[in-house]
C-alpha cells in the first residue's frame, strides 16, 4: 500500500491520512444511502402490513426468473470488482481493466433485464396511475405494491447506472495510468459503492419477487 | 497576554499574501477550493436568501396588522409564509453557521490547511446554489402554498403552484448539506494537528461535529420523502393520499424524522459559537468543558428519538405520544446542562461587554425562554391546546431567531476581524445588537400570548380581539428589520474603512488567532503542535494586567 | 487465504444462499417465509460487507460509520412502527 | 381603537377539561418563570459583579465540579418526569370519551365544517351542544387534513381523510365560542372558522327539533340502505351470501385471513368504501365498492343505521 508515488493533495500531511480520509468518506456516504433507501423500506413495511394479501397477489406478477438472474448478475459483478480492487494494489493493469469492464457489462445486462421487466409490467397495465388494473379485487393494495416496486427498483437502477459509470471511469484511468497501483484508493472506494448497490438488491429481491411463489 | 502553548514557530504573515488578496479575479473565487473562500461564498448566498425570507416576513407582518385580509389575498399570504419558512430554514439557517463560520473556522481551529475534500466543498456550494435556483424559480413562477412542512395530501394533491420545483430545490440543497456534513466529519477525524486530541478541541468543533452527524443521518430521509411527494404529485400514484391508498401520517413520520433533528442542526452550531464567546469575554475556561461537549453529542443522538412530539394531535397512537413526550423532556436535559455551564462560566470571570458578548448573553436568555416553552409543547395535554397556534411560532422564533440568528451575528462579529482583516465600528454594533434584542422581544413575545388565547397559525385573517397583540408584534418586526439592516451596512462599510485588525484583537485563545488576519491560503506556515487544553484564559491575570495599565495612567 | 480465493469462496456461498432463498419461497411456511428470506438476505449482505468490502480490516471508525447508518435506520423504523402498531 | 382594547384579554374557559389544562399551564409557567428568572438573575449579578475592572474576588475555587454538574442534571430531570406524568395523565383522559356521550358527526372539507346531530339536524360552521353532557365528535375529512379546534374547551384534534378521529368534551358554560381550523388546509384555511354554542339541555332538545331537521341520522341511513341496494344482498331474502348486519356493530368479526377485528365505525366505513380490504370469514369478496358514489356524510348515516340495528339499550337522551 505504501507506494511513495501516490500524489498527495496539499491539505494532507501523509498518504495514509489521505487514503483513510477517502475510505471513511465513502463509508459515511454509504450510511446516508442506507437512510435514503431506508425511508422506502419503512413505507414498504407499513403498507405491506396493511394489505398483506394484496402484496402477495401482486408479487405473483413479478418475473421470478428475471429477478433471480439479475441477483446472480449483480453478485458476480461484485465478485469481479472485489478482485479488481485487490489486483489494483498489485498493479496488474490488464486484469483490472478486464474485470472492471466485465462488471460494467454485467451492470448493463442487469439494466436491460430490468428494462424488459418494466416494459412488460407497463404492457400488462401494472404501472400505477396509468390505467392501472389488477384482477381479483385487490387493486388498491396491489397498486401500492407496484408504486413501491417501481420507486424502489427504479431508485436502485439509477444507482446501478451511476455505479457502472464510476467503474467505467476507473477502468479508463487504470488503463491510462503509468502506475495503476497509485489508483488503489480510487478503485477501492468506487468498489465500495458498487458492493453497496449489490446489497440493496439483495434485500429488494425477496421483498418483491418472493412473497408468493408457492407451488 | 495569553500563552498559546504552541511549539510552532510564530506564524508570520507580513510578507505573505492573505487568502483574499492572493488572487483577485472573479474566476479565482468561482473555482476556489479554499475553505475560507467557500465560506465567504456561502455568506453572500445565504444573506440573499435571508433577505428574501425577511421581506416575506415583513409583508406578512404588515398584513397581520389588521384583522381583515385587506392587504393581499389569502393565496398570496399562504405563499408568503411558505417562502418565508422554506428560505429561512433550508436556505438560511441550516447553512448559516455551519457553512459560513464552520467552513471558515474548522480547519483553522484544528490546525489544518484545508478541509479533507476541498473540491467536494466547493461542489457543495454549487449544489446549494442550484437548489436555491430551483426554489427561486418556484417562487417567481407563481409560488407554492404548502407551508414549509409540505403536509400530504395537501401538498401532493390539492396545493397550488410549483410544489415539485420547490421540493426538488430543497432536495438538492439537502445533498449540499450531506456533502458538507460528510466533509466536516472526515476533516475533524483525520485532519487535526498533532497534539489536538478530542478533549483539546474547541467546543465549536464539537458542535460542528455533532451537527454534521445530524446532517448526514437525517437529510437522506428528507430527500426520499420529498421524492415520494413529488412522485405522488407528478404521476398521481398513491403513496400518502388516502384516496389513493396511502397514509398521510406516514408522511408526517418521515418528515419529522428529519425535521426534528434538523431543528438541532439549527441550534447546535449556535451553542458552539456561544461557548467560544462566553469563554473569551469572561476570560475564563469554560465551566464543565466535558459536560458541554458531551451534551452536544447527547442532543445529536437523542434528538433523533423525539420527532413524534409534532404529531400529538395527528391521530398518532396515544402510547407512541407518551414515548415521544418523555423523550422530548429527556433531550432537554443536555440543553439545560449547557445553559447552566455557560452561566457558571461567568462566575469569577473578568467580563467584557463587547458586541459579540452582547449577542452571547442575549442568546442565553432567549434560548432559555424558547427552550422552556418547548417544554410546554412536549407536555402532551398542553400541546393539544397550543399546537398549531402562535405559541408554536413564538417558541421556535425564540430559539431560531433569538438563539441561532443571534449566535450567527455574534460569531460573525467575533471572527469578522479574522475573516475580513478589519474592525467594525463598535458603538454602532452594540447599538444594533440592542435594537435587535428589543425588536425581537416586541415581535415575538406577544405571539406567546396570542397562542395561549388560541390564535391559530397560518391565518391570513383573524378575529378582532387579537388585533392589539398583532399590532405590537408588527411594530416589533419593523424595529427588528432596522436592527438587521444596520450590521449589513456597517460590516460592508468596514471592509473598506474599518481599522485594520491585528491577528488576535480579542486576546483569545485558539489556533485561528495565531494565524494572521486575514489568514494566508494555507492558514499556517508551519503546522502548529498543540500541548494544552483549550480556553487557557485566566481572569486573575487579565485583571492584574488592567491594574498595571491603570497604574501607568495614574 | 489469498484475497482472490476468498472472494471466490464467498461468491460460491452467495450463490448457495440465493438458491436457498428462491427454493424456500416454494415451500409455504406462512409468515416464516418472510422471516427466512430476510435472514438469508442479512447473511448475504453480511458476507458482502465483510469480505468484498473488507469491513473486517477497515478499522473501528469505518465500522462505526456504517453501523451508525443501520442503527439510525432501526430508530426510524422501530419508532414509526411503534405508532402504527399501537393504534387502537 | 375600541375594537383594539375590548375583549383582548378575555379568555373563556367553557369545558370541564379547561380548568385542569389551565392548572397544568400555570404549573409550567411558574416553573419556567422561576428557571428563566434565576438564569437571567445570575447573568445580571455575575455581569455586574465580575465586570472587567471590578474588584471582586476572583481566586479560582478548588474541588470537584462534579457534584454541581450532577445536581443541575438531576433536579431538572426530576421536574421533567413530574411534568411529563402530569400532562400525560391528562392527555390519556382526553383520549377516552365517557360511554354515555352524545355523538356528533363532523365532516370537514375545504373550507367548511359540516355537522350532523344524531337527531338528524345539520348545520354548517356551527356546532350546538347541550350544557353539562359529554359530547363526542366523530370526525372525518373529505379532502385534506384539517383540525377541529375550540380554544375555550382547550381541545384540538386533526381531522384526517380516510379515517375517523374523535375527541370529546363536557361543556360547562353557556355561551358562543370560536371554532377554528388549526391545520393548514389551503387557500381559505383562515376562513374555515365557526361558532360553538353551548345551550341549556332543554333548549338544545328544542333546538334539535327546529330548523333544518331531517329524520334522524339512522333513519336517513335506513333509506340509503334500501335505495343504494345494500338490502339487496344484506337481507334474509337475498340470493347472494352476504352477512346480516344486525348486531354487527361493536362485535368482533372474524376475517378471512384469520385475524379478528372489532366492527367499529372505521371498519364499517372500510367495508363500504374499500370492501376488499378486509373480507369477513366465510364470504366471497363480491361486495362492490361504493367509493365515489357515497359521500362521507352518507357513509356516516349508513353507519348510524347499522349501529341502530345493534339493539343495545340506548342511554336516555
Ligand atoms: C432551533 C430550533 C428548535 C429547537 C432547538 C427546539 C427545541 C425544542 N423544542 Fe421545538 N420546534 C421548533 C424548533 C426548535 N425547537 C420548530 C421550528 C417547531 C415547529 C415546526 C412547525 O410545526 O412548523 C417546533 C415545535 C415543537 C413542538 C411541536 C409543537 C406542535 O407543533 O404541536 C414541540 C413539542 O414537544 C417542541 C418541543 C421542543 C423541546 C422540548 C425542545 C428542547 O430541545 C428545548 C430544550 C431547552 C430548554 C428546556 C431550555 C434550557 C433549559 C433550562 C434552563 C433548564 C431548566 C428547566 C427546568 C428545570 C424546567 N418544539
Ligand atoms: C429559520 C429562521 C426564521 C427566521 C430568521 C424568521 C424570521 C422572522 N419571522 Fe418567521 N418563520 C419561520 C422561520 C424563521 N422566521 C418558519 C419556519 C415559519 C413557519 C412557516 C410555516 O408556517 O410554514 C415562520 C413563520 C412566521 C410567522 C407565522 C406566519 C403564519 O403562521 O401565518 C410569522 C408571523 O409573524 C413570522 C415572522 C417572522 C419575523 C418578523 C422574522 C424576522 O426576524 C425577520 C426580520 C428580517 C428582515 C425584516 C430582513 C432584513 C431587513 C431588510 C431586508 C429590510 C428591507 C426590507 C424591507 C423594508 C421589506 N414567521
Ligand atoms: Cu381546514 Cu385549515
Ligand atoms: Cu421537534
Amino acid at each position: 500500500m505504501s507506494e511513495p508515488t501516490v500524489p498527495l493533495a496539499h491539505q494532507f500531511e501523509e498518504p495514509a491520512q489521505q487514503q483513510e480520509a477517502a475510505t471513511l468518506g465513502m463509508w459515511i456516504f454509504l450510511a446516508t444511502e442506507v437512510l435514503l433507501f431506508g425511508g422506502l423500506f419503512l413505507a414498504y413495511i407499513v403498507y405491506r402490513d396493511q394489505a398483506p394479501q394484496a402484496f402477495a397477489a401482486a408479487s405473483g406478477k413479478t418475473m421470478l426468473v428475471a429477478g433471480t438472474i439479475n441477483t446472480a448478475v449483480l453478485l458476480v459483478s461484485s465478485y469481479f470488482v472485489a478482485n479488481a480492487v485487490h489486483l489494483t494494489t498489485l498493479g496488474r493493469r490488464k486484469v483490472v481493466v478486464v474485470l472492471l469492464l466485465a462488471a460494467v457489462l454485467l451492470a448493463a445486462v442487469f439494466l436491460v433485464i430490468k428494462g424488459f421487466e418494466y416494459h412488460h409490467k407497463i404492457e400488462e397495465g401494472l404501472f400505477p396511475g396509468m390505467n392501472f388494473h389488477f384482477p381479483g379485487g385487490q387493486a388498491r393494495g396491489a397498486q401500492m405494491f407496484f408504486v413501491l416496486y417501481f420507486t424502489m427498483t427504479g431508485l436502485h437502477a439509477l444507482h446501478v447506472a451511476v455505479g457502472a459509470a464510476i467503474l467505467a471511469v476507473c477502468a479508463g484511468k487504470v488503463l491510462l495510468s503509468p502506475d495503476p497501483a497509485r489508483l488503489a484508493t480510487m478503485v477501492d472506494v468506487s468498489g465500495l459503492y458498487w458492493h453497496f448497490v449489490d446489497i440493496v438488491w439483495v434485500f429488494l429481491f425477496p421483498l418483491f419477487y418472493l412473497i408468493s411463489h408457492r407451488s | 497576554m495569553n500563552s498559546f502553548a504552541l511549539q510552532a514557530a510564530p506564524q508570520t504573515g507580513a510578507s505573505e499574501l492573505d487568502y483574499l488578496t492572493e488572487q483577485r479575479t472573479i474566476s479565482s473565487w468561482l473555482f476556489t477550493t479554499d475553505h475560507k473562500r467557500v465560506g465567504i461564498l456561502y455568506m453572500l448566498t445565504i444573506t440573499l436568501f435571508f433577505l428574501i425570507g425577511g421581506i416575506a416576513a415583513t409583508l406578512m407582518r404588515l398584513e397581520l396588522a389588521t384583522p381583515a385580509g385587506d392587504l393581499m389575498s389569502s393565496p398570496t399570504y399562504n405563499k408568503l409564509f411558505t417562502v418565508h419558512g422554506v428560505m429561512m430554514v433550508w436556505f438560511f439557517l441550516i447553512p448559516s453557521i455551519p457553512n459560513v463560520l464552520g467552513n471558515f473556522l474548522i480547519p483553522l481551529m484544528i490546525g489544518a490547511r484545508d478541509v479533507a475534500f476541498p473540491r467536494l466543498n466547493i461542489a457543495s456550494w454549487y449544489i446549494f446554489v442550484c437548489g436555491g435556483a430551483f426554489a427561486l424559480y418556484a417562487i417567481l413562477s407563481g409560488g407554492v402554498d404548502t407551508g414549509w412542512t409540505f403536509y400530504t395530501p395537501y401538498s401532493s394533491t390539492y396545493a397550488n403552484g410549483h410544489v415539485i420545483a420547490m421540493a426538488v430545490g430543497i432536495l438538492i440543497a439537502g445533498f449540499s448539506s450531506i456533502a458538507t456534513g460528510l466533509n466536516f466529519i472526515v476533516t475533524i477525524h483525520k485532519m487535526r494537528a498533532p497534539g489536538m486530541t478530542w478533549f483539546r478541541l474547541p467546543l465549536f468543533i464539537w458542535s460542528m461535529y455533532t451537527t454534521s452527524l445530524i446532517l448526514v443521518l437525517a437529510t437522506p430521509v428528507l430527500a426520499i420523502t420529498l421524492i415520494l411527494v413529488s412522485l405522488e404529485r407528478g404521476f398521481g400514484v398513491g403513496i400518502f393520499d388516502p384516496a389513493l391508498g396511502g397514509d398521510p401520517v406516514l408522511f408526517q413520520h418521515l418528515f419529522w424524522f428529519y425535521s426534528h433533528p434538523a431543528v438541532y442542526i439549527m441550534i447546535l452550531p449556535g451553542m458552539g459559537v456561544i461557548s467560544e464567546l462566553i469563554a473569551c469575554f469572561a476570560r475564563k475556561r469554560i465551566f464543565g468543558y466535558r459536560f458541554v461537549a458531551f451534551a452536544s453529542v447527547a442532543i445529536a443522538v437523542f434528538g433523533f428519538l423525539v420527532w413524534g412530539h409534532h404529531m400529538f394531535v395527528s391521530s398518532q397512537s396515544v402510547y407512541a405520544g407518551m414515548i415521544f413526550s418523555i423523550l422530548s423532556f429527556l433531550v432537554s436535559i443536555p440543553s439545560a446542562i449547557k445553559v447552566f455551564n455557560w452561566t457558571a462560566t461567568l462566575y469569577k470571570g473578568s467580563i467584557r461587554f463587547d458586541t459579540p458578548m452582547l449577542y452571547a448573553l442575549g442568546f442565553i436568555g432567549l434560548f432559555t425562554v424558547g427552550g422552556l416553552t418547548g417544554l410546554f409543547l412536549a407536555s402532551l395535554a398542553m400541546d393539544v391546546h397550543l399546537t398549531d397556534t402562535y405559541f408554536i411560532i413564538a417558541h421556535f422564533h425564540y430559539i431560531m431567531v433569538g438563539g441561532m440568528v443571534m449566535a450567527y451575528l455574534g460569531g460573525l462579529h467575533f471572527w469578522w476581524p479574522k475573516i475580513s482583516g478589519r474592525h467594525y465600528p463598535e458603538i454602532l454594533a452594540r447599538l444594533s445588537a440592542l435594537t435587535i434584542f428589543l425588536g425581537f422581544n416586541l415581535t415575538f413575545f406577544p405571539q406567546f400570548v396570542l397562542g395561549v388565547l388560541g390564535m391559530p397559525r397560518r391565518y391570513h385573517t383573524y378575529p378582532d380581539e387579537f388585533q392589539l397583540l398583532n399590532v405590537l408584534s408588527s411594530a416589533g418586526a419593523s424595529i427588528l428589520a432596522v436592527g438587521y439592516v444596520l450590521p449589513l451596512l456597517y460590516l460592508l462599510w468596514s471592509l473598506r474603512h474599518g481599522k485594520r485588525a491585528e491577528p488576535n484583537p480579542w486576546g483569545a485563545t485558539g489556533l485561528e488567532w495565531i494565524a494572521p488576519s486575514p489568514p494566508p491560503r494555507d492558514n499556517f506556515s508551519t503546522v502548529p503542535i498543540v500541548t494544552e487544553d483549550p480556553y487557557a484564559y485566566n481572569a486573575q491575570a487579565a485583571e492584574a494586567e488592567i491594574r498595571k495599565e491603570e497604574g501607568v495612567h495614574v | 487465504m489469498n484475497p482472490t480465493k476468498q472472494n471466490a469462496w464467498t461468491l460460491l456461498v452467495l450463490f448457495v444462499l440465493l438458491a436457498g432463498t428462491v427454493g424456500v419461497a416454494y415451500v409455504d411456511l406462512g409468515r416464516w417465509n418472510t422471516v427466512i428470506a430476510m435472514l438469508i438476505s442479512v447473511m448475504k449482505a453480511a458476507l458482502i460487507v465483510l469480505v468484498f468490502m473488507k469491513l473486517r480490516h477497515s478499522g473501528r471508525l469505518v465500522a462505526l460509520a456504517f453501523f451508525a447508518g443501520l442503527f439510525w435506520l432501526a430508530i426510524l423504523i422501530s419508532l414509526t412502527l411503534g405508532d402504527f402498531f399501537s393504534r387502537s | 381603537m375600541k375594537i383594539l382594547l375590548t375583549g383582548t384579554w378575555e379568555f373563556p374557559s367553557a369545558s370541564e377539561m379547561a380548568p385542569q389544562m389551565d392548572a397544568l399551564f400555570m404549573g409550567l409557567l411558574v416553573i419556567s418563570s422561576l428557571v428563566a428568572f434565576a438564569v437571567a438573575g445570575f447573568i445580571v449579578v455575575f455581569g455586574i459583579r465580575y465586570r472587567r475592572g471590578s474588584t471582586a474576588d476572583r481566586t479560582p475555587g478548588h474541588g470537584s465540579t462534579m457534584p454541581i454538574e450532577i445536581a443541575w442534571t438531576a433536579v431538572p430531570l426530576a421536574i421533567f418526569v413530574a411534568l411529563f406524568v402530569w400532562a400525560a395523565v391528562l392527555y390519556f383522559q382526553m383520549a377516552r370519551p365517557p360511554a354515555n356521550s352524545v355523538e356528533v358527526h363532523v365532516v370537514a372539507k375545504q373550507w367548511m365544517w359540516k355537522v350532523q346531530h344524531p337527531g338528524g339536524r345539520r348545520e354548517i360552521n356551527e356546532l350546538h351542544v347541550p350544557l353539562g353532557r359529554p359530547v363526542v365528535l366523530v370526525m372525518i375529512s373529505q379532502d385534506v387534513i384539517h383540525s377541529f379546534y375550540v380554544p375555550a374547551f382547550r381541545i384540538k384534534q386533526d381531522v384526517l381523510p380516510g379515517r375517523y378521529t374523535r375527541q370529546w368534551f363536557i361543556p360547562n358554560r353557556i355561551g358562543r365560542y370560536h371554532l377554528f381550523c388549526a391545520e393548514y388546509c389551503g387557500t381559505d384555511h383562515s376562513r374555515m372558522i365557526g361558532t360553538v354554542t353551548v345551550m341549556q339541555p332543554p333548549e338544545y332538545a328544542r333546538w334539535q327539533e327546529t330548523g333544518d331537521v331531517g329524520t334522524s341520522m339512522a333513519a336517513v341511513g335506513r333509506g340509503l340502505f334500501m335505495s343504494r341496494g345494500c338490502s339487496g344482498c344484506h337481507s334474509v331474502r337475498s340470493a347472494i351470501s352476504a352477512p346480516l348486519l344486525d348486531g354487527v356493530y361493536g362485535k368482533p368479526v372474524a376475517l378471512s385471513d384469520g385475524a379478528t377485528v372489532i366492527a367499529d365505525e372505521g371498519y364499517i366505513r372500510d367495508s363500504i368504501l374499500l370492501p376488499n380490504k378486509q373480507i369477513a370469514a366465510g364470504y366471497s369478496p363480491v361486495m362492490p365498492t361504493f367509493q365515489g358514489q357515497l359521500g362521507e356524510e352518507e357513509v356516516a348515516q349508513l353507519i348510524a343505521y347499522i349501529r341502530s340495528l345493534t339493539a343495545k339499550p340506548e342511554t336516555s337522551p
Side-chain angles (χ1 to χ4, degrees), chain D residues 223-232 290 293-295 298 302:
Chain D
L224 284 170
F225 199 77
M226 303 296 164
S227 63
R228 293 308 178 104
C230 317
S231 54
F290 287 84
Q293 301 170 39
L294 294 171
E298 290 167 310
L302 280 168

Side-chain angles (χ1 to χ4, degrees), chain A residues 4-22:
Chain A
T5 45
V6 177
L8 191 63
H10 84 106
Q11 72 271 24
F12 292 110
E13 287 295 309
E14 54 193 39
Q17 184 191 25
Q18 174 165 323
Q19 188 259 330
E20 285 167 19

Side-chain angles (χ1 to χ4, degrees), chain B residues 256 259-260 263 306-307 309-310:
Chain B
W256 292 115
S259 284
H260 182 82
V263 310
V306 307
W307 76 82
H309 67 206
H310 295 269

Side-chain angles (χ1 to χ4, degrees), chain A residues 10-13 17 20-22 24-25 28-29 32 35-36 39-40 42-43 46-47 50 128-129 140 144 147 151 155, chain B residues 113-118 182 185-186 190-191 216-217 220 224 228 231 237-239 242-243 245-247 250 521-522 527:
Chain A
H10 84 106
Q11 72 271 24
F12 292 110
E13 287 295 309
Q17 184 191 25
E20 285 167 19
L24 179 62
I28 295 174
F29 178 71
T32 74
L35 283 151
L36 184 79
L40 292 170
L42 172 64
V46 167
Y47 291 132
Q50 287 180 4
R140 235 173 118 84
M144 187 57 81
V147 167
T151 318
L155 187 64
Chain B
R113 279 190 287 266
D114 207 322
V115 292
F117 310 116
L182 190 157
I185 294 179
V186 177
K190 295 289 172 195
M191 312 291 283
V216 163
L217 290 168
I224 197 65
L228 289 176
L231 285 180
V237 302
I239 295 168
D247 188 328
L250 177 63
R521 169 71 182 88
D522 276 349
V527 173

Side-chain angles (χ1 to χ4, degrees), chain D residues 142-262:
Chain D
Q142 277 186 5
D143 35 53
V144 302
I145 303 178
H146 305 269
S147 194
F148 193 99
Y149 178 32
V150 185
F153 296 165
R154 317 282 189 271
I155 57 162
K156 185 186 289 124
Q157 171 63 53
D158 280 7
V159 182
L160 304 178
R163 192 157 94 230
Y164 289 108
T165 54
R166 27 177 79 220
Q167 65 179 342
W168 70 278
F169 51 88
I170 304 176
N172 68 357
R173 213 180 99 185
I174 303 285
R176 289 167 61 74
Y177 308 104
H178 284 302
L179 154 62
F180 294 127
C181 175
E183 182 61 65
Y184 176 67
C185 55
T187 307
D188 276 336
H189 165 61
S190 64
R191 295 199 173 86
M192 190 166 164
I193 58 178
T195 331
V196 178
T197 311
V198 180
M199 332 164 84
Q200 292 291 356
E203 214 182 316
Y204 174 72
R206 233 172 303 131
W207 172 85
Q208 278 225 334
E209 311 285 286
T210 54
D212 173 25
V213 252
T215 26
S216 76
M217 269 178 84
V220 179
R222 188 180 140 83
L224 284 170
F225 199 77
M226 303 296 164
S227 63
R228 293 308 178 104
C230 317
S231 54
C233 299
H234 293 283
S235 80
V236 249
R237 291 179 305 280
S238 160
I240 297 168
S241 160
L244 282 179
L245 300 178
D246 309 51
V248 162
Y249 182 83
K251 300 276 155 50
V253 176
L255 299 180
S256 61
D257 64 357
T260 308
V261 295
I262 299 290

Side-chain angles (χ1 to χ4, degrees), chain B residues 220-395:
Chain B
V221 178
L222 174 72
I224 197 65
T225 312
L226 291 173
I227 290 174
L228 289 176
V229 169
S230 302
L231 285 180
E232 177 158 308
R233 189 173 172 88
F235 297 98
V237 302
I239 295 168
F240 299 124
D241 185 352
L244 301 167
D247 188 328
V249 179
L250 177 63
F251 168 85
Q252 296 176 21
H253 277 296
L254 288 167
F255 181 80
W256 292 115
F257 176 85
Y258 163 80
S259 284
H260 182 82
V263 310
Y264 293 123
I265 298 173
M266 295 186 265
I267 198 64
L268 279 170
M271 293 170 157
V273 167
I274 297 310
S275 299
E276 301 296 313
L277 302 190
I278 296 278
C280 173
F281 291 100
R283 286 280 173 262
K284 267 200 56 197
R285 170 179 303 244
I286 202 91
F287 195 88
Y289 169 92
R290 285 187 188 223
F291 286 90
V292 179
F294 281 126
S296 293
V297 179
I299 290 176
V301 174
F302 289 102
F304 275 92
L305 304 174
V306 307
W307 76 82
H309 67 206
H310 295 269
M311 302 165 59
F312 288 155
V313 302
S314 72
S315 83
Q316 177 180 247
S317 110
V318 179
Y319 305 99
M322 293 199 178
I323 291 175
F324 284 124
S325 168
I326 184 73
L327 289 169
S328 303
F329 278 105
L330 294 185
V331 78
S332 306
I333 297 278
S335 299
I337 293 177
K338 289 196 178 223
V339 168
F340 296 141
N341 279 297
W342 290 324
T343 311
T345 303
L346 299 176
Y347 179 64
K348 293 193 172 176
S350 161
I351 303 172
R352 296 169 50 171
F353 295 96
D354 300 280
T355 310
M357 186 61 162
L358 295 184
Y359 280 112
L361 296 177
F363 173 100
I364 300 182
L366 300 179
F367 169 73
T368 301
V369 174
L372 289 170
T373 51
L375 298 178
F376 287 54
L377 302 173
S379 307
L380 283 158
M382 204 64 247
D383 184 67
V384 172
H385 176 58
L386 294 176
T387 184
D388 277 321
T389 66
Y390 263 80
F391 195 91
I392 310 286
I393 304 289
H395 155 66

